[in-house]
Amino acid sequence: MPVVTIRMASGRTLEQKRILAAEITAAITRTLGVDPEQVFVFFEEHDKENIAQAGRLFSES
Amino acid sequence: MPVVTIRMASGRTLEQKRILAAEITAAITRTLGVDPEQVFVFFEEHDKENIAQAGRLFSES
Amino acid sequence: MPVVTIRMASGRTLEQKRILAAEITAAITRTLGVDPEQVFVFFEEHDKENIAQAGRLFSES
Amino acid sequence: MPVVTIRMASGRTLEQKRILAAEITAAITRTLGVDPEQVFVFFEEHDKENIAQAGRLFSES
Amino acid sequence: MPVVTIRMASGRTLEQKRILAAEITAAITRTLGVDPEQVFVFFEEHDKENIAQAGRLFSES
Amino acid sequence: MPVVTIRMASGRTLEQKRILAAEITAAITRTLGVDPEQVFVFFEEHDKENIAQAGRLFSES
């Protein structure tokens, strides 16, 4: 705990995930004073046909 | 905001997602009076072996 | 199944939730051809200090 | 209702999911006194590159 | 990891949560062979006006 | 999009949320190259009786 979920479109690189996992965990550890071992980050990737904004699928806008 | 998540079994068509994204966004815009650009819809698809009801996997009932 | 979650700021009325529950369930039943008894809708309300866009808390923008 | 989500690393067997779906549904039915038909369980599987603990991706620790 | 979320109507007792946390963690530890210290359970409670089935709010059915 | 959810125990200050919202949005904007206006952060607070680790409620460990 805390558990962080980042919901985003598919297609990001391993390097982007590596950087985000490290930076977000550092921000939470610094700000909330928790043990880094207790911080979990999940990347929840969605294909663009499974995301919509303003009623239009991302794969079609 | 608002963010809508529709959790459902895999296998729906692009057309079904297109219709649902448009109709749900319209219902929210009309009822809550928010800007459609601020309404996000996510389709979260699960294989039938990853869903259970009454203790039985959907892939086996 | 399907399970719909609507994540939104707190403060909406019972009537708005009543309308949205009915309209969204109807859209899903019509579009996916599922039994309405199998459609669950959850309203997940968040105080404005617990939501941020562009790095600013809703309660302060 | 209730709706249970088990978020875990990918790679578990069908048999493990079968056992967990049955045992968790039984625990909830027994403890909360609800109808098993109203209990849904979702297995949310994540690849190890999409999970991090202490700032490190599971696929790299 | 794994992270379990139990979404249910508000109003359950501390004793029910105590029993469910212990039984579900034991089922996961036994079945997936993971360290109990790595198993997190969250109870996500919703008021009945924030849950709907078949288009009707729980608080009105 | 992306939508970030931070699930944590209740009791954090407004200032901690302000700092986290800003730092996490900046990390995502920098790393994924997205428009900050498209980044949403939600703080999902749970009372300690609604969180368990290793089968024990946080409120009792």
Side-chain angles (χ1 to χ4, degrees), chain C residues 6-58:
Chain C
I6 302 164
R7 180 179 273 190
M8 59 188 188
S10 313
R12 271 46 189 248
T13 66
L14 194 60
E15 181 58 11
Q16 288 175 311
K17 293 175 188 175
R18 203 180 281 132
I19 293 170
L20 275 181
E23 291 197 7
I24 288 176
T25 300
I28 286 180
T29 305
R30 212 168 37 236
T31 312
L32 304 186
V34 296
D35 171 1
E37 286 299 329
Q38 289 281 76
V39 180
F40 291 87
V41 174
F42 289 88
F43 296 100
E44 198 185 278
E45 299 183 292
H46 291 260
D47 294 339
K48 293 198 171 179
E49 74 166 49
N50 284 330
I51 309 171
Q53 181 177 10
R56 289 184 309 276
L57 301 181
F58 266 38

Side-chain angles (χ1 to χ4, degrees), chain A residues 30-44:
Chain A
R30 213 171 33 235
T31 310
L32 303 186
V34 296
D35 171 2
E37 288 296 329
Q38 290 280 78
V39 180
F40 291 87
V41 175
F42 289 88
F43 296 100
E44 199 185 278

Side-chain angles (χ1 to χ4, degrees), chain A:
Chain A
M1 262 271 305
V3 175
V4 181
T5 304
I6 301 164
R7 180 180 272 192
M8 57 188 189
S10 312
R12 271 44 188 248
T13 67
L14 194 60
E15 181 59 11
Q16 287 176 311
K17 293 175 189 175
R18 202 179 283 134
I19 293 169
L20 274 182
E23 291 197 6
I24 287 176
T25 301
I28 285 181
T29 306
R30 213 171 33 235
T31 310
L32 303 186
V34 296
D35 171 2
E37 288 296 329
Q38 290 280 78
V39 180
F40 291 87
V41 175
F42 289 88
F43 296 100
E44 199 185 278
E45 297 184 293
H46 292 258
D47 294 340
K48 292 198 173 180
E49 74 166 50
N50 284 330
I51 308 170
Q53 182 177 8
R56 290 184 308 277
L57 300 181
F58 267 37
S59 56
E60 300 177 350
S61 45

Side-chain angles (χ1 to χ4, degrees), chain F residues 12-57:
Chain F
R12 270 46 187 247
T13 66
L14 195 59
E15 181 59 11
Q16 287 175 310
K17 293 175 188 175
R18 203 179 281 133
I19 293 169
L20 274 182
E23 291 197 7
I24 288 176
T25 301
I28 286 181
T29 306
R30 213 170 34 236
T31 311
L32 303 186
V34 295
D35 172 2
E37 287 299 330
Q38 290 282 78
V39 180
F40 291 87
V41 174
F42 289 88
F43 296 100
E44 199 186 278
E45 299 183 292
H46 292 259
D47 294 340
K48 294 197 172 180
E49 75 166 48
N50 284 330
I51 309 171
Q53 182 177 8
R56 290 184 308 277
L57 300 182

Side-chain angles (χ1 to χ4, degrees), chain D residues 1-9 12 16 19-20 23-24 27-28 30-32 34 38 51 53 58, chain E residues 1-9 12 16 19-20 23-24 27-28 30-32 34 38 51 53 58:
Chain D
M1 263 274 301
V3 174
V4 181
T5 305
I6 301 163
R7 181 180 271 192
M8 58 189 188
R12 270 49 187 246
Q16 287 176 311
I19 293 168
L20 273 182
E23 290 198 7
I24 287 176
I28 285 181
R30 210 170 36 235
T31 311
L32 302 186
V34 296
Q38 290 281 76
I51 309 171
Q53 182 177 7
F58 266 38
Chain E
M1 265 272 304
V3 175
V4 181
T5 304
I6 301 164
R7 180 179 273 190
M8 58 188 188
R12 270 48 188 246
Q16 287 175 310
I19 293 169
L20 274 181
E23 291 198 7
I24 288 176
I28 286 181
R30 213 170 33 238
T31 310
L32 303 186
V34 296
Q38 290 282 76
I51 308 171
Q53 182 177 8
F58 265 38

Side-chain angles (χ1 to χ4, degrees), chain D:
Chain D
M1 263 274 301
V3 174
V4 181
T5 305
I6 301 163
R7 181 180 271 192
M8 58 189 188
S10 313
R12 270 49 187 246
T13 66
L14 195 59
E15 181 59 11
Q16 287 176 311
K17 292 175 188 177
R18 202 179 283 134
I19 293 168
L20 273 182
E23 290 198 7
I24 287 176
T25 301
I28 285 181
T29 305
R30 210 170 36 235
T31 311
L32 302 186
V34 296
D35 171 2
E37 288 296 330
Q38 290 281 76
V39 181
F40 291 87
V41 175
F42 290 88
F43 296 100
E44 198 186 278
E45 298 184 293
H46 292 259
D47 294 339
K48 293 197 172 179
E49 74 166 48
N50 283 330
I51 309 171
Q53 182 177 7
R56 291 184 307 277
L57 300 181
F58 266 38
S59 55
E60 300 177 351
S61 45

